[in-house]
Amino acid sequence: MAFTSAIFEEILMRGIVFRITEEKLGSYFALFISAILFGAMHLGNPNSSLTAALGLAIQAGLY
């Protein structure tokens, strides 16, 4: 299930959100928006915090 979830997140964030926003706003804004959304998606996880979501946005969303 974790593997399927990871693939879905990548397709959604990189394949759809990033490409659409990149066409409209440019690469830097698209990267920032997709990273913030990626971190926000993880706020629903058990024992998650705003700090953890921000860390995920920076570490996994920007790199």
Side-chain angles (χ1 to χ4, degrees):
M1 179 155 165
F3 183 70
T4 305
S5 177
I7 290 173
F8 176 74
E9 286 179 357
E10 285 298 318
I11 290 171
L12 179 66
M13 299 311 297
R14 308 259 195 262
I16 298 173
V17 172
F18 181 79
R19 295 206 186 262
I20 290 172
T21 54
E22 184 181 32
E23 289 176 3
K24 304 289 183 193
L25 303 173
S27 296
Y28 291 114
F29 285 116
L31 185 61
F32 179 74
I33 290 169
S34 67
I36 294 299
L37 288 175
F38 186 81
M41 284 174 50
H42 290 86
L43 281 173
N45 291 348
N47 300 318
S48 182
S49 66
L50 189 57
T51 305
L54 181 61
L56 274 171
I58 293 169
Q59 188 267 334
L62 294 178
Y63 290 112

